[in-house]
Every structure is written in C-alpha cells, then in structure tokens.
Amino acid sequence: MGAYTDFHRRSIADRESFWTDEARRIHWHRPFSQVLDYSKPPFAKWFVGGQTNLCHNAIDRHLAARGDQPALVYISTETNTEKTYTYRELHTEVNRCAAVIAAQGVVRGDRVLLYMPMIPEAAIAMLACARLGAVHSVVFGGFAAASCASRIDDAKPKLLITADAGLRGGKAIHYKPLVDEAMRLAKHPPKNVLIVNRGIDKDFKPVPGRDLDYAEETRKHADAQVPVTWLESSDPSYILYTSGTTGKPKGVQRDTGGYAVALASSMEHIYCGKPGETMFTTSDVGWVVGHSYIVYGPLIQGMTTIFYEGLPIRPDAGIWWKIVADHKVSVMFSSPTAVRVLKKQDPAYMTKYDLSSLKHLFLAGEPLDEPTHRWIHDALGKPVIDHYWQTETGWPILSLAPGIEPAKVKYGSPGYPVYGYDLKLLRETDATEAGPDEKGVLTIAPPLPPGCMTTVWGDDERFVSTYFSDFPGKLLYSTFDWGVRDKDGYTFILGRTDDVINVAGHRIGTREIEEAVQAHSNIAEVAVVGVADPVKGQMPLAFAVVKDAKKVEAEADRAQQEKEVLAAVDRQLGAIARPKRVYFVTLLPKTRSGKLLRRSIQALAEGRDPGDLTTIEDPTALAQIRAALGVK
Ligand code: PRX
C-alpha cells in the first residue's frame, strides 16, 4: 500500500496544502483565506473566510453540464412507483420547497425538523433547508413520538416537515398521529407542520391553523426562484441526533464547507463514483449514511442517486440487484445486516441480473463478520469493502481507498486509516500505542478532519467532556470502539468500549432503553445489555426488578408484564429499540460501589465466562441471571 501510505502521510504532515487541493472539488462563492483555524482546541474551523452552500454544490453547479441527467431516481417497491428527477427538475422542486419553508418565516440559522419516510420530498426538503441556510434535523421515522419530542425541545425548530404515513413491507406506519403526539409532548413545539399527504392514511385530518399541505403550498410557489444563501464555511448545515451512554441523545452538529469538501473528496478517492454514474445507497435519510451518501455526496459529485423505499427481499430477494442492472449502478453502499438477510435467500438471485456496471459494494454501520464478508464477495464477484465510521465523523474513518490504490480486501477488516485522520490505537490503561495484534481504543488525534462534527448542538462543553475526556490529561477524540491492528496495518473492530449497542446497524444507548423500560410503572430497576444475534448483529435483552413482585409470580402474569414493558419501549423509543426478551429478577448484579455489571450479564447471555467477579456485591444476583436465561 505504498501509494496510499504516502497519500495518508501527506494529509497529516502537510495538512494545509493537502486540504487546499481537495477543497478545489467544490464551488466556493468566496474563497477561503485560511485552511484551518485551530486556535481553540479541540474546536476546528475548516476553510475560514470561505463561503459556500451545500445545495448549490449538489444541484445548481451541475445545471449547465447535466441539467437533463437524472439526479434522483425514487424507486418504491412499497407503492410500485418509479420517478426520476433530472438535475433541472430537482432544482425546480427544491426551489418550490425552499419558498414554502421561507414563507413560514424560516431564515438562515433557523432549525427545521424533518420526520419523514423514504419519499423524495425528504431529500428535497433537506436540500431546500440547505439552500436557505436553515439547519435541518432529520429524525429517523422509526423513532417514537417521545424521541421526536425530545429532539424538538433540543433543536427548537421553527417548522416541522412530515408525511401522513410511511410504508414498510406493505404495512402503513402512520406518522401524523406520532407527530401530533410529539407536538403535544414537546415544550417548544414549532408553530406549523408541513405535511406531504400521500393518501395512505384514510383518516387523515389536518389540524386547522397548524398543518399545511405540501402539495397546496408548493403549488403557490410553483415558479419560485429562491437565491442560494451563501454561508460561512463553519456555519452549521445540520444537526443529527445520536445515542451515547446517557439517556439523552446528542445533537451532532456539522459545518458546511468542511463537510462538502470531505464528501466530494471521499466520492473520488474512496467510493470511485464518477459524475454521470449512479450510486445506490440502501440506508434511510434519517441516518448519517443517508445524509452523506444518499443525498449530499452523490449529488455533489454529479452522480445519479437511487432513493429506495422498500425492503431488500420484496417483491423478492433479487430486487436490489435488479435495480443495479436496470440503472447501471456503479457504486453501491449497504449494511452487513442487509447482507445477512440476503444470505438466507435463494443464491440464484445473486446471479440473475447483469451486475457488470458495479465496481464495488461498500458496507458499514456495524461489524461485518468474516463469513458474511467472504460470502458476499464470492457471490457478487466484486470487491466488497467494509468501512468504518460514525455519525460524528460524517464520512469514513477506516476504509480502503480504491481511488488511490486498488483495493486489497482482508475479510473482517475495514482496512486502514482514511486520509485526514491521525488515528491511534491506544492502550486503555496509559494511552500508549498498542503494538501489532494488541487490542486498543481507537482514537483520533485532533484536529478532526473536515466533515466531522464541530460540536454538540448548543453544548460545547458536552462535546469536550463526551469525546475528548477518555484519556485524562490528553486531548484525544475517542471513538469508543476497540480495535486491533495486524502487521500489515489493517484494523479490525472489536466492539464498543461503552454501553452503546448496535441493532441491525442502528446505534442505541442501553441507558436510553433502560429509561424507556422504567417508564413502566411496575419497574423499579433494569439492566439492558446487547447480545450477539446472527442476523441483526446485536439485540437488546432486559433484566428487570419489579416493584410489585406478585405481578410476575405466575407465568401468565410474567408474559403480560413483559408485553407491557415492550409496549413502553415502543412508545418511548420505537420498535427498533425493543428488547428481544424481558426477564424478571429480584436483584441485579452490581459492584460494591453500586455499578451495574453489564459486561458480566452480557457474557452470560452470550454463553461466555462472566469474568472477574471479585467486586460483586451479592453473587446470588448472577445466579438469578443464569436461572432466567436457563444457563448453568
Ligand atoms: O461501533 C461502531 C459501529 O457503529 C458505530 C457508529 O454508528 P453510527 O453512528 O450509526 O454511524 C454509522 C456510520 C456508518 C461505530 O462507533 N460501526 C460502524 N461501522 C462499522 C462499525 N463497527 C464495525 N465495523 C464497521 N465497518
């Protein structure tokens, strides 16, 4: 990996000239005068003095050369629709939407909360916010009303945009009642809700004076031309909430210029997507992957992006490969869970379609186990590149970079440090560098490269105390992931160092689930751990102590309590956080100082040794966990 090693070295040793070159990939309304302002560590300001705009870079800039090229192809196997927007058409729609948003009084710096299914209006609204310099905060549609409400209260949006309903596997998910509930729960609800009425919810009733109909409003602004608002490079582009160890998700704040440059650069060097080609990212716009590689990345690069609403196996397990063949997809991005789902299907689907256009398949979001990596690599006959990153970074931390050097894949590894990242694998005890094959905590020596989070929304102090305080006395960004590096420089991820779990690529804090379980009136205390799952990677398991033990004495009562607790989690967080099981115990294993022994519980649930138990307060607590799980 000689060429890449040099490339990476230059990105760290000669940071300013490296990023000056990369910054040429985007349009600057006003050129920057300073590449990096790092006068207030760990806060980094990239491309100081420069003015740009994400929407301009994603759409307007391409109009002259590729106005008639498809920009976004919406494919829904839920409604059996396919709709193509050329760059010109997308420009028109974004202008209309921007005019509607502006008419609600939204100006530069105001927040707009999006709670949307996978419909093109989600991308259009994101781009429209970017055009106005408004800060969007997309909340994944699978989150419950209470989660949506807490994000409303943190971001204090001026407007909420939603739809009547989403569809999943043919089943309607009604957003409107969830939004009504979230608006009721929020302390700072926005005045208006703009609703895309898809006609799915037959009982749809707008709230007079509050709800606005998207079709009607955009009709009023059919010919709108909304000028781009030029932003300072470090002005926020969006907030995206993500889970950590506390019950309160953090608003990851992203800048404008650094993000645009990082995306444009990664499209070239990592994803190898060329203007005019097609990218298919199977995520949801509610996640960081959707922000970076369904919406902004491919459009900034002048590609066609596939915007897919549906499941990977409906109408059959060949649907994604059919899309690749029909649209000559050259770059595809998906998740290990999706691949594990496909692995269980008839392998004939993998060879049914002409996949000759496809250069690489990228996977991220959760650990990719070696057998699955090998299987999909062989089944596709294409390089499958596992790459590792976080909501916080916005683009890859570890990856191969086939745009710089042909990819030499090692199964089970997301490759080597991405340029721009000064990555260190540190011993937990003294922050010294781990040797080859020795486990360490993956950390980034700041400044974080362009594109990464710039702070926690509204809470600079939390940015520092959360991410830069893992190694006392040293200002280092912790990823909270364990890793190990082999002698060839390939890193392998060994799981989180904190209490965050990963369910089918969805990142959830066990604290959040515990708080949701405790919302049930009969729960006194609970421990939630993530246990290995063959398809979803991990699943939450809950061990709860009840207040009234009589309610869990008989088997039928226990089943009823479990059902109620699961319903409480659905209500607070959404079904994605629902534990696989809730076990009732009278005592939880804790240290003498009262710390929950989550790792020991997790080990028992995964059939492993519970480890050092010398600090346990009452050993019978573990015996109860064993009994509940039916293990010896
Ligand atoms: O634990 C790591 C895991 O997912 C976390 C980040 O999740 P999220 O913020 O949702 O961002 C996903 C962006 C792709 C990480 O801290 N993770 C992500 N990718 C990988 C991974 N674990 C192992 N291998 C990966 N490729």
Side-chain angles (χ1 to χ4, degrees):
M1 50 186 247
Y4 183 75
T5 309
D6 288 347
F7 191 73
H8 183 272
R9 190 179 301 125
R10 202 184 138 235
S11 77
I12 305 296
D14 207 356
R15 192 173 270 137
E16 308 231 330
S17 87
F18 181 90
W19 286 110
T20 301
D21 290 348
E22 292 302 316
R24 291 198 184 98
R25 299 183 183 283
I26 69 153
H27 170 82
W28 293 94
H29 176 64
R30 187 176 73 198
F32 51 91
S33 50
Q34 191 186 353
V35 179
L36 170 68
D37 173 1
Y38 195 52
S39 55
K40 221 180 113 199
F43 299 91
K45 281 189 176 169
W46 287 95
F47 310 117
V48 182
Q51 285 187 337
T52 187
N53 180 287
L54 280 178
C55 179
H56 177 90
N57 275 285
I59 304 178
D60 302 50
R61 189 169 59 123
H62 303 304
L63 289 177
R66 48 189 81 251
D68 296 324
Q69 177 200 305
L72 186 149
V73 180
Y74 166 58
I75 300 169
S76 174
T77 48
E78 297 289 349
T79 58
N80 288 322
T81 335
E82 185 169 319
K83 187 170 178 192
T84 297
Y85 296 81
T86 64
Y87 270 93
R88 208 179 313 286
E89 286 162 344
L90 189 60
H91 181 255
T92 304
E93 292 301 333
V94 168
N95 271 284
R96 288 174 180 159
C97 182
V100 173
I101 295 173
Q104 303 317 306
V106 172
V107 296
R108 173 181 185 167
D110 284 345
R111 278 78 58 211
V112 176
L113 194 128
L114 273 59
Y115 189 52
M116 306 278 275
M118 279 295 284
I119 52 175
E121 288 80 358
I124 290 167
M126 288 164 78
L127 290 157
C129 288
R131 190 169 196 84
L132 296 167
V135 178
H136 59 68
S137 182
V138 186
V139 176
F140 174 59
F143 281 123
S147 298
C148 186
S150 66
R151 286 153 174 80
I152 290 176
D153 285 336
D154 195 70
K156 301 189 182 61
K158 224 175 202 174
L159 177 70
L160 196 155
I161 308 180
T162 188
D164 62 333
L167 291 160
R168 196 177 153 77
K171 235 183 88 204
I173 301 155
H174 296 279
Y175 280 52
K176 172 65 166 50
L178 290 173
V179 166
D180 290 343
E181 174 73 358
M183 292 285 283
R184 198 181 58 74
L185 293 171
K187 293 184 198 75
H188 304 280
K191 195 168 146 273
N192 294 109
V193 179
L194 180 63
I195 307 177
V196 180
N197 190 350
R198 309 175 74 187
I200 296 170
D201 185 351
K202 300 290 172 227
D203 302 320
F204 180 83
K205 274 187 209 69
V207 175
R210 186 198 78 179
D211 293 351
L212 303 163
D213 179 63
Y214 187 92
E216 201 181 307
E217 296 302 317
T218 42
R219 236 184 337 262
K220 289 186 202 158
H221 298 276
D223 303 319
Q225 293 285 334
V226 178
V228 160
T229 300
W230 298 109
L231 297 180
E232 293 301 318
S233 177
S234 59
D235 280 347
S237 55
Y238 67 74
I239 309 168
L240 186 55
Y241 287 87
T242 193
S243 298
T245 36
T246 69
K248 188 173 176 265
K250 292 173 289 281
V252 166
Q253 180 176 322
R254 193 95 59 217
D255 75 351
T256 299
Y259 186 51
V261 170
L263 291 184
S265 163
S266 66
M267 288 309 304
E268 195 75 30
H269 302 313
I270 297 176
Y271 297 100
C272 303
K274 299 286 172 225
E277 292 182 355
T278 302
M279 180 159 187
F280 177 21
T281 299
T282 69
S283 181
D284 185 287
V285 280
W287 305 115
V288 70
V289 175
H291 283 57
S292 293
Y293 297 112
I294 295 177
V295 182
Y296 292 116
L299 294 179
I300 287 174
Q301 183 70 336
M303 296 180 75
T304 302
T305 186
I306 303 282
F307 196 98
Y308 179 69
E309 180 184 40
L311 301 177
I313 50 170
R314 203 170 166 268
D316 61 48
I319 179 63
W320 283 0
W321 314 118
K322 181 175 185 309
I323 291 174
V324 171
D326 287 354
H327 296 272
K328 302 204 170 27
V329 169
S330 70
V331 189
M332 189 165 166
F333 184 157
S334 191
S335 72
T337 290
V339 174
R340 287 189 292 261
V341 167
L342 292 174
K343 200 170 147 189
K344 293 173 131 190
Q345 311 293 317
D346 184 348
Y349 285 118
M350 303 297 300
T351 46
K352 191 170 165 193
Y353 297 98
D354 173 12
L355 305 182
S356 55
S357 59
L358 190 66
K359 290 186 273 192
H360 303 99
L361 168 65
F362 289 85
L363 300 174
E366 54 178 315
L368 174 62
D369 57 285
E370 201 183 313
T372 303
H373 199 172
R374 192 183 296 277
W375 175 79
I376 185 72
H377 205 281
D378 292 348
L380 280 180
K382 308 271 177 182
V384 175
I385 300 184
D386 177 17
H387 62 329
Y388 157 92
W389 46 293
Q390 303 182 310
T391 303
E392 288 83 347
T393 63
W395 67 295
I397 305 171
L398 286 169
S399 181
L400 301 180
I404 305 291
E405 196 169 68
K408 195 168 159 281
V409 171
K410 263 200 198 189
Y411 297 122
S413 165
Y416 27 78
V418 167
Y419 55 92
Y421 290 91
D422 189 3
L423 217 60
K424 306 209 180 295
L425 203 53
L426 301 183
R427 296 190 179 104
E428 197 190 18
T429 42
D430 58 2
T432 51
E433 293 216 32
D437 299 323
E438 184 188 346
K439 179 174 162 176
V441 182
L442 262 179
T443 54
I444 305 167
L448 298 179
C452 292
M453 77 186 290
T454 47
T455 189
V456 171
W457 172 255
D459 201 343
D460 284 353
E461 162 51 29
R462 195 171 174 205
F463 176 58
V464 182
S465 65
T466 303
Y467 295 105
F468 292 89
S469 308
D470 217 13
F471 297 98
K474 294 197 172 152
L475 200 65
L476 291 165
Y477 172 91
S478 178
T479 61
F480 300 105
D481 281 300
W482 294 110
V484 63
R485 199 172 287 154
D486 71 7
K487 58 178 184 350
D488 302 324
Y490 282 72
T491 302
F492 294 76
I493 301 291
L494 305 173
R496 298 277 302 193
T497 65
D498 59 6
D499 293 319
V500 167
I501 63 172
N502 199 314
V503 181
H506 304 328
R507 175 171 158 185
I508 310 168
T510 47
R511 273 287 331 130
E512 280 175 86
I513 307 179
E514 286 169 1
E515 285 183 14
V517 169
Q518 270 164 330
H520 186 282
S521 58
N522 196 31
I523 303 297
E525 227 191 335
V526 62
V528 171
V529 297
V531 295
D533 181 88
V535 176
K536 296 185 171 185
Q538 281 187 307
M539 278 292 277
L541 279 192
F543 296 86
V545 179
V546 290
K547 290 177 187 160
D548 180 359
K550 277 203 283 306
K551 289 199 173 154
V552 292
E553 262 166 24
E555 172 127 15
D557 294 339
R558 270 202 300 279
Q560 177 59 25
Q561 283 282 284
E562 180 171 10
K563 234 168 99 186
E564 286 179 26
V565 167
L566 297 180
V569 176
D570 282 7
R571 248 192 332 271
Q572 293 288 312
L573 288 175
I576 52 165
R578 188 190 298 158
K580 191 173 177 178
R581 287 295 315 271
V582 182
Y583 296 105
F584 297 103
V585 291
T586 61
L587 192 67
L588 290 170
K590 287 184 186 164
T591 63
R592 277 185 279 275
S593 56
K595 240 182 104 188
L596 260 176
L597 288 163
R598 284 203 184 78
R599 304 251 169 261
S600 304
I601 305 176
Q602 185 191 35
L604 283 181
E606 290 181 346
R608 289 182 286 112
D609 183 67
D612 178 13
L613 296 171
T614 47
T615 59
I616 195 164
E617 191 186 14
D618 184 344
T620 61
L622 270 193
Q624 284 204 29
I625 302 277
R626 280 198 177 90
L629 290 164
V631 295
K632 289 219 182 81

